Amino acid sequence: MLPVVNSLPDEIISEILTPALRVSDDAFSTMYRIGQTDSPFMNFSESSSAYLVVCKNWLRVATPLLYNVVALRSKAQAQALAATLTANPELGRFIKKLRVEGGYAISMHKVLKFSPNITDIYISLDIHSPDNATGLCRGLPLLDPIRVILDLGPSSHYSVSQNGQKLLATLVECLLKWKRLVVFQMPNQLSAGYMTSISIGDSLKLAPALNTLVIWDPQGYLSTIPMYMRKVSANPNLKRIQILPDSKYSVRKALYDEMKADSKLKFLLYVEDESLVLSTDGAEAGVAYYPAKLKADPAQEDVIWSCILSFALSSSQQGFHIRNSSLPSRIAPLLTCKMFARLGVPELFTDLTLHNTNFPSIISQFKRQPSLGHRVQSLYFDYDCDAAHLRSLIAYTPALRVLHASPHFAALSWPAFIKLSQLVGPSLRSMHGLCVAVGPKNANSSQVFSSFLELRELDWNSKTAFDSAPESVPHNAFSLLVTLTVGACHNSFYDTLASMNLPSLETAIFNSAHIDGGAKYFQTHGAKLRKLKLYEQYTQDSSLDIWRTCPSLIELTIFCDNQHPAAASCLTTSQTHENLIRIVFAPQNRYHRRQTPGPDWNAKALCETVAECLVTWKNMTQFQIPHGIYVPSIWESLRLAPALNTLVIWDPQEYLETIPTYVRMVSANPTLKCIRLLPRSNSSQREAFHNSLKANPIIQSLMDIEDERPSSSVADTVRSEPAPFTYPAILADDPIQADAIWSRVLFFAMQPGGYQAKDQIYNSNNSSVPTGVAPLLVCKMFARLGTPLFYANVRLSGANSYALKRHLKQHPSLRQHVQTLFIDDGYKPEDLRKLAEYMPGLKEVYAGALAPALPWKTFEGFVELAGASLLRLHGVKIGKSSKKPGVSPQIFARFSKMQEFGWNSKTEFEAKAQGIPLDAFSALVTLTIGACTNSFFSVLTSMEYVFVPSETFHGTLNFVWQFALVGNSCV
C-alpha cells in the first residue's frame, strides 16, 4: 500500500500548500512612508522554500506556488534568480507578481526576459550608486503588466537619483505601449519638480487601457488637485481615482471639496468608506456624521429611525411595565432628542403588560393620545381586573394581535367576551389564558366566533354551552386557526368545532384529564392533525379512537401526573402510523418520577411496551430518556433498533458521573452516531464523567459535548503543542505604545464586572491571593501597569482595613487610582474617615446590607474630605445626630458632582432658609430615600428646583430622573 502522502492527487497537495506559500497582496503592494526603513518582507523566519524539500511530490507541486510572487530586496537575490531562470527558463512562466526594491544592474534584464506572464510589478526609484537600473530599463519594454506600483523607496521621498530618473523615463515610454495596464499606483511626492522634465501625467492620459489611478499620500499633504490628476482625468478609459490610505474627512477636506466641485473628478473619486466623503456644508467634521440624504428626506428619516428605535426599545422582558416610582432604563433613547421621543414613544406601546398600578395611567394616556392605542399589538394582563377594565382598554386598541392573561386573571363575563370579539376579533391572532364565564343561555350562539378572522392560536377555557346545530354554526369561522388548546369546556363546544371547516388546523392540545365529548370533533378534523397533546385517557377512549381518526400524526405527547399516570396501554394499537416520528411523555407540575406512584402506575409495563415497539419502529432515529430508568429490556431493544441515530439522556441534576451500563449496551448499535447529554452544562460537576470517557474511545467519539465547557481532562486528549509566542516587534520598539496597549488588556482582565462582584474587589487577606491579582504575577511590567488598576475598586472589611491603610500610606502613587469603595461588614467606622485622606479621586461608595452605621461626626469628616469628588453614594447608613435643634444642611453643598445619592438617616436638619445650600445636588440624577425625617424633605424643598410629584413625573432637583422611597420608616 502506498503512503498517504504519495497517494494524494496533486490538486489536493496544492490546496494544502497554497496557504503556507501564499504572499498576501497587502504585503506585496505595501509602499513606504516617510521615515520608514523596514520592508514588509524583512523577517528572520525560516524560508518558505523548506516545504519543497519534504519530498519529490511536494517539490513538483509547490515550485509553481513558490514562484507565484517574487520579492527581490538585494542584488544577490536578483543574481541568484537570474541564474536560476537562465538554467530553467520554464520557472519564469510561474512568476505572476514581481516586487523589485532596487535596480540590481543587468541581472534584472534576465529576470524580466524569462518572466513573460508578469501581471503585477512593483518598482522602486530608490536606486543609488553603485547600483544601477540598466537591466530594468532594458527589460520593462518586454512586459505588458496589468498593475504597476511605482514607489520612491525608503530614502528617496525628497529627491530621485540619476538612475531613478533614467528608470522613470523608461517607464513613461512603456506606459504608452502597455496594452493591458489597468491600475497605476504612484506616490503623491512624485509631482511638481519631477513633472517639469518627465511628464508622467501626459503618458497616463494616453495609456490605452488605464482604468484606475491610485495615489499614495500617507501624510495627507495632498490638499489641492495636482496638475497630473487633471491630466490623467482626461483619459476616456479612466473610471476611478483612489487616494490611499483612507483618512478622516477633516484631513483631506479641502481636496475632497475641490474634487466634488469639479464636474469630471467628482465622478472619478472613489473612497472605500463613503462616510469619509460627505457633501460639505461648512461644518467641521466631528466624531459622527449625520447623512445628508437622510436629513433632506424627513419621511425616510422617520422610517429609518423608527426601525432603529424599535430594536433599541425591545426588551428581554415581554411588555412595557409602567411604574409610577421609576423610569425604565430601556427608554433612555427617548431622552436623547425630541425626534427620538416622537418616534420612540409609539414603539414603546407596541407590547403592554398591565398591572393594577399602571392601568389608570395607560387609559389616561390613550384618552390624551388615541394614536398610541393603534400601535398596541400585544396585551398581557398580569392582575385581576373586571370586564369594565378590559372593555375600556380594548376600545383603544383596534389593531391588537396578541391577548394573553395570567392564571390570576378573573373570569370574563359572556357579554364582555362578545364585546371583545367585536372590537379586536378581526385583528386578533393569538388568545391565551382567558377564562370565559358560562353564558346566560342553555344554547348560546356560536356566531361570536365568526369575528375572529385572523386567529392562529386559541386557548379556550369555558363551560359555556353552544347551539351546535349545523345551520347555526359559522362554517368559515377560525379559517386560519393552526393551534387549538382546550381546557375546561362543554361537550357542545366540540360539536360546534366539528361543524366548522378549520382548514388550517394542525395542532390540538387538551389540558384537561376529564373527557367530555369530542368524538365528532376527532372524526371530522382528526385527519388534519399533525401534533396532538393529551392525557392517556384520550388514547384509550373507544369513542374517540385516536389512533384511527388521526392517521397524519407526526408528534404525540402524553400528559401524566400523580392522579393520571401513563400506562402501557397508551401505546397499544392495531393501527399502523407511518408518519409518527416523535412520542413524548410529559410530566405535569403535580407529577415527579421520584414520588410514590399510585395504584394504576406501571412504569415497568410501559417500558416493556416501548421496548417491544423499538425493534419494529423502522423510522425512529432519536430516543430521549431521563437518566435513572433501569429497565434492561428497553436498552437491549435500543441496541437492536434498526434506525437509531441519536440517544439523548436527560440529566438535569447532573447525577451522571461514570459511563452507565445502558450507554455501553446502546453504543453497540451500528447505526448509532451520537449520544447527547441534556441539558447542556458549563459546570464542573461532570468532571468525573468526562474523565471516564477517556477510558472508552468508542463512546467518547459518539458523545456530543461540543457546547459544553471542555474540562482539563478532556482537553488533555486533544491538546496539541502550542505555537511559540512571538512578542510583536512594534511593541518592543515603542515602550509607550506597549504600556498603553497592555494597560487596556489588563483593565479588562481585572475588571470586576459590576459593583456587586465582591470576589474581584481588592481584599488584602494574608491567607490567600485573590484570583484577580493573578495577572500581576506574570512579569514586572504587568505588576507595574496592573497594580493601579487593581486598586481602582477597593473592598473595605474588618480583615483588610489596616493593610489597606498601610499600603496607601506607603505608596502615595496608588492613592489617585482608587475610584470605587465597597464597604463590607466588620470594619470600624472611624477607618472610613482615615481612608478618605488617601483616596483623593474617590468617585463611588457602596455599602453592604451588613455594614455598620456611620456616626454623624465620622460622616461629616468623610464628606469634608471626599464629598467634592463623589458621583455615587449608596447603601451607607448614617447615625442620628444629637445636635439640637438640628444639624446644618450645608454639608450637602460638598456634593457638587453627585449624580446618584442614597439617604438613610433619621438626622434632623435646621429649617432656616439662609442655612440651606440652594445649588446643592446640581448634577443629581437619581435620589433614593430610606429612613429620613420631615426636615430632610424640607431641605430638599428649599433647594433650587422643588420636587413636585405628578403623574408623568417630570424630575426633581435640577435633572433628577428617578426617585424611589425605600422602606416604611419615611415621614
Side-chain angles (χ1 to χ4, degrees), residues 378-393:
S378 174
L379 272 180
Y380 180 81
F381 288 88
D382 195 20
Y383 72 105
D384 297 338
C385 77
D386 55 23
H389 277 174
L390 181 61
R391 270 201 305 268
S392 60
L393 185 63

Side-chain angles (χ1 to χ4, degrees), residues 63 100 198 239 386 454 531 615 655 691 701 724 864 906 964:
T63 298
V100 186
I198 305 172
K239 299 295 188 294
D386 55 23
E454 299 286 333
K531 297 181 180 181
V615 183
Y655 292 149
N691 288 333
S701 64
E864 186 67 25
K906 285 283 191 175

